[in-house]
Amino acid sequence: VKTCAALCGVRIPRLADVVLTTSYPMDIDLRQGLKAVANNIRAVRPGGMLINLVRAEEGAGHMSGRKPPFGRATLKRLAPLLAPAVRYTRSPEGEEFKFFTYFGLRMVRRYDVALYAPSVPKRATESIAFAHIVASFDELWPIARKKFPRRAEVIVVPAGGVTYPLV
């Protein structure tokens, strides 16, 4: 653990309102790019926002799933009930999908996540309800501005795919 922290850990002074990261070098597809979200979400204060820039040259990757029957706001309210159910049930999509769903449900309760993924087709992002997924910066900044209209403390993590915060 000490060796991993020395190699991959990045010291930050405190939790931030907004963490802006890239998924580099884990950015060949959206599935790989989500590792930066998992690595850096702990740098965001509760109620804050993580923005992840994902190159995703190969699109969504091996993401499977169905479009959820409700939106992000409903998911946020239902997450405390759904997360334990997901954790202890079998998933026909496999254990990785089950983990991803559980992680997403836990995350959506505390944070807002926005993914800039211009090369991922819209239809491939519809099953990811825990995040705003946008194809242009023109769509991204209004989301952040709405959440923090006046001021926000921001931390930038350039290689979020292989680093994680040490507070």
Side-chain angles (χ1 to χ4, degrees):
V1 170
K2 288 179 184 178
T3 301
C4 185
L7 293 172
C8 302
V10 176
R11 296 225 175 267
I12 60 172
R14 63 192 150 278
L15 300 180
D17 296 318
V18 177
V19 172
L20 175 61
T21 189
T22 69
S23 56
Y24 178 82
M26 310 301 264
D27 60 359
I28 195 70
D29 59 31
L30 182 61
R31 184 176 154 270
Q32 291 292 316
L34 291 174
K35 289 179 181 179
V37 174
N39 288 356
N40 291 284
I41 198 68
R42 292 178 193 261
V44 181
R45 73 164 176 77
M49 180 174 205
L50 183 133
I51 299 171
N52 184 22
L53 311 178
V54 185
R55 186 175 58 169
E57 288 178 342
E58 295 184 8
H62 298 288
M63 299 284 294
S64 64
R66 297 173 292 290
K67 185 175 181 176
F70 38 77
R72 197 171 0 279
T74 302
L75 185 64
K76 197 173 202 114
R77 287 192 301 275
L78 293 176
L81 302 171
L82 294 174
V86 168
R87 187 173 183 190
Y88 297 109
T89 58
R90 287 184 182 242
S91 170
E93 290 90 357
E95 289 301 309
E96 184 178 28
F97 178 79
K98 187 170 104 171
F99 169 78
F100 177 73
T101 303
Y102 177 74
F103 177 75
L105 287 168
R106 289 192 41 113
M107 191 175 48
V108 77
R109 290 173 49 201
R110 294 186 180 107
Y111 316 102
D112 283 321
V113 175
L115 304 173
Y116 169 69
S119 57
V120 178
K122 180 89 172 144
R123 64 176 162 50
T125 65
E126 290 177 342
S127 66
I128 303 173
F130 73 85
H132 303 275
I133 303 178
V134 300
S136 77
F137 281 110
D138 292 339
E139 296 173 79
L140 181 62
W141 298 127
I143 296 168
R145 283 265 186 229
K146 183 177 179 185
K147 182 130 184 95
F148 297 102
R150 297 185 191 270
R151 225 182 146 164
E153 186 169 315
V154 178
I155 290 177
V156 177
V157 183
V162 292
T163 58
Y164 64 93
L166 300 169
V167 183

